[in-house]
Amino acid sequence: GYLDRDESEQPRYGRPAGAPKNAAAVLHGGRVALRFAKHHLPNYGVFDEFRYFVPGQTLPMVRVRGVDVALAICEDLWQDGGRVPAARSAGAGLLVSVNASPYEREKDDTRLDLVRKRAQEAGCTTAYLAMTGGQDELVFDGDSIVVDRDGEVIARAPQFDEGCVLVDLDLPAAAAEPPAGTIDDGLRVEHVTLSADPLPAYEPETPGGEADRLDDDAEVYTALVVGLRAYAAKNGFRSVLIGLSGGIDSALVAAIACDAVGAENVYGVAMPSRYSSEHSVGDAAELARRTGLNFRTVPIGPMFDAYMGSLGLTGLAEENLQSRLRGTMLMALSNQEGHIVLAPGNKSELACGYSTLYGDSVGAYGPIKDVYKTSVFRLAKWRNRSAAERGETPPIPENSISKPPSAELRPGQVDTDSLPDYDVLDRILELYVDRDQGRSEIIAAGFEAELVTRVLRMVDTAEYKRRQYPPGTKISAKGFGKDRRLPITNRWRETA
């Protein structure tokens, strides 16, 4: 894959300037044998391709060892029409699609159904070749699939793993005359012969096979690990810094970080205040002992007293001061020692604005930014259970999982002082944020009207905070940011 330009495109209104193309090339014998551009350009969710690119208008085909291979790029399979039916019309023996399709929960099942359907429509064996790794908030889960013309799986690669899958395919020989002309959806066949003679007959040795599948929790957790690992490595960072409160969010982020970059490259700091419970520092220290990450304790009491003596803050301002002191300390250590700071906020908190700007929201990356609080607990339990099954020490202290969540910014504070119970809250948020359902629909689903109104108002008014939050791994169909674009200045509200 690469960025190309359509030299024949004439400038006109409504088309991207310079006619750039999302393109791929076939390389053979040390030369570029064929170039082609993506035909279907997605313009939803995280994609803006119709805004930036012009579409390819060809059906690219290469003849390899006497077999005609049709080529496609990602969205060419995800949308109806175009290159899939064109491959059938052109008599292709194999359809190959290269893909950088972002991961979402349960997308592997959707992808398999799609590839099976497209193979039947194309009337030929279809290979869906998928990227793995990460870029910014996007993570790619691999899971390359090869199916026959009837949609039966021939081979399926591992998830989230780089590797090579060797598959023997029994494919039909190409027609004597290469396909030509304009076919389905106005696509012009562009055919190049690389090798006309078929392979000699032989007995296949590698039947393919399917790699083991990850269960749902393992899949999501692995996506979070791969996303953080790719962000750190591809941006030249070797170590990460986390504020450890002893709570579940920072504990899960620390476990993810240890799995992503190695415990020796994870630095945790506890920053207790006068309102921190004894078990908070103890739970943070226990997490460090279990994982082997680097740990220190730096109380913020003296700094807090100095600010209070100068400003005399009260109420929410006093609470937020503690969080901002911790954020300042983390960024100072980041500058001094070269670690990148990880923000521990989850999707429930971001949705409701339950975070402090320039406090617990500081950082370069938010690994659990797209994970609801109830899922944070579930993933923590899964990670501990997974470790125990392998005979390893579970990384997250049980007390971090079992105790009531609290920001500990005032005496006896718990999250439910400000938020509904997370089990109820997350179900409302999923309907509103992920599924775009409105107030009346959510109430009809069985939720109390006053509670729904309150939650929706919190979500709507917190957009300015989310806009300033660092990027983080996207694991849902609709994450905050490019998926859900709303203006900050917006007086429209859903009301009773």
Side-chain angles (χ1 to χ4, degrees):
Y2 72 104
L3 178 65
D4 204 348
R5 186 186 303 279
D6 189 343
E7 300 295 345
S8 65
E9 184 75 15
Q10 297 299 312
R12 56 192 170 102
Y13 290 116
R15 298 301 295 267
K21 298 190 296 186
N22 184 349
V26 177
L27 310 180
H28 182 261
R31 64 183 179 85
V32 178
L34 179 67
R35 306 169 189 262
F36 64 102
K38 196 172 184 176
H39 176 61
H40 287 310
L41 299 177
N43 210 58
Y44 55 85
V46 299
F47 301 104
D48 287 306
E49 296 197 33
F50 193 77
R51 179 179 184 179
Y52 293 114
F53 301 117
V54 296
Q57 302 294 355
T58 66
L59 174 66
M61 298 185 74
V62 291
R63 184 162 293 186
V64 182
R65 288 295 186 176
V67 175
D68 277 343
V69 181
L71 304 168
I73 301 174
C74 203
E75 193 75 8
D76 293 339
L77 262 64
W78 286 91
Q79 290 190 32
D80 292 335
R83 284 173 172 156
V84 173
R88 175 185 284 273
S89 298
L94 176 66
L95 172 60
V96 175
S97 178
V98 291
N99 307 271
S101 183
Y103 168 77
E104 296 169 8
R105 283 192 312 262
E106 302 174 356
K107 191 173 185 178
D108 56 330
D109 296 330
T110 304
R111 179 186 295 129
L112 178 59
D113 291 342
L114 172 81
V115 177
R116 283 174 163 162
K117 177 183 177 183
R118 296 308 190 213
Q120 292 168 346
E121 292 173 354
C124 64
T125 298
T126 298
Y128 182 101
L129 311 181
M131 175 181 174
T132 188
Q135 182 184 26
D136 295 352
E137 72 272 26
L138 302 182
V139 63
F140 305 93
D141 58 323
D143 188 29
S144 294
I145 305 169
V146 183
V147 303
D148 66 19
R149 60 182 299 163
D150 297 319
E152 294 299 317
V153 176
I154 298 172
R156 196 166 186 183
Q159 297 167 281
F160 301 103
D161 243 348
E162 292 184 3
C164 179
V165 177
L166 181 62
V167 186
D168 278 311
L169 299 174
D170 185 12
L171 302 173
E177 289 297 320
T182 299
I183 52 178
D184 302 70
D185 289 354
L187 296 178
R188 175 178 51 83
V189 176
E190 186 169 2
H191 187 282
V192 174
T193 297
L194 303 181
S195 49
D197 297 331
L199 286 167
Y202 74 106
E203 289 296 322
E205 298 179 359
T206 52
E210 293 189 55
D212 293 337
R213 314 304 301 156
L214 299 175
D215 65 38
D216 290 344
D217 290 335
E219 185 182 281
V220 170
Y221 186 88
T222 305
L224 299 175
V225 170
V226 170
L228 174 57
R229 180 186 295 143
Y231 185 87
K234 293 180 179 181
N235 289 290
F237 300 112
R238 297 181 179 178
S239 55
V240 301
L241 177 65
I242 308 169
L244 296 180
S245 66
I248 186 66
D249 293 328
S250 63
L252 180 62
V253 168
I256 292 168
C258 289
D259 291 335
V261 300
E264 69 278 9
N265 297 311
V266 178
Y267 293 78
V269 53
M271 297 166 284
S273 73
R274 66 178 67 172
Y275 301 124
S276 299
S277 58
E278 289 185 13
H279 60 70
S280 293
V281 176
D283 293 341
E286 175 63 10
L287 171 75
R289 185 193 69 78
R290 288 167 175 251
T291 60
L293 61 78
N294 305 280
F295 180 68
R296 74 190 96 173
T297 300
V298 183
I300 64 168
M303 291 176 276
F304 179 75
D305 292 341
Y307 268 86
M308 291 298 290
S310 299
L311 297 175
L313 303 176
T314 59
L316 185 61
E318 179 185 359
E319 292 180 27
N320 286 342
L321 174 61
Q322 298 167 71
S323 181
R324 291 189 174 116
L325 286 171
R326 290 175 175 131
T328 298
M329 185 182 298
L330 289 171
M331 293 311 300
L333 292 173
S334 172
N335 292 158
Q336 182 70 22
E337 300 175 6
H339 321 299
I340 60 167
V341 177
L342 301 183
N346 60 67
K347 192 171 186 176
S348 306
E349 294 173 347
L350 265 67
C352 297
Y354 193 62
S355 63
T356 303
L357 276 179
Y358 324 120
D360 54 333
S361 63
V362 304
Y365 202 74
I368 60 172
K369 175 183 181 179
D370 198 29
V371 182
Y372 286 119
K373 187 77 168 191
T374 48
S375 294
V376 169
F377 282 104
R378 191 178 68 249
L379 290 174
K381 293 174 183 177
W382 174 87
R383 182 61 181 86
N384 278 2
R385 187 170 62 251
S386 175
E389 290 171 353
R390 295 194 300 267
E392 301 171 356
T393 301
I396 300 174
E398 182 59 34
N399 197 45
S400 294
I401 298 174
S402 60
K403 66 186 177 184
S406 171
E408 292 192 330
L409 298 177
R410 63 174 183 266
Q413 183 184 35
V414 291
D415 287 5
T416 49
D417 294 340
S418 303
L419 298 175
D421 179 79
Y422 280 116
D423 182 60
V424 176
L425 174 64
D426 287 354
R427 285 186 286 144
I428 295 174
L429 292 175
E430 184 174 359
L431 293 174
Y432 187 51
V433 175
D434 295 24
R435 302 188 188 181
D436 291 326
Q437 293 190 10
R439 179 181 178 276
S440 59
E441 294 171 290
I442 298 172
I443 293 172
F447 296 95
E448 196 267 324
E450 185 178 345
L451 175 61
V452 172
T453 300
R454 176 188 166 206
V455 171
L456 268 54
R457 182 168 288 122
M458 285 192 292
V459 174
D460 292 344
T461 56
E463 184 64 30
Y464 77 100
K465 286 189 176 183
R466 291 190 291 270
R467 197 73 63 89
Q468 299 179 68
Y469 203 81
T473 306
K474 168 181 150 61
I475 55 102
S476 73
K478 181 156 288 189
F480 288 120
K482 290 183 179 179
D483 276 336
R484 190 177 187 271
R485 309 182 195 193
L486 295 174
I488 295 172
T489 306
N490 179 16
R491 293 189 65 183
W492 184 88
R493 296 286 183 266
E494 286 210 47
T495 57

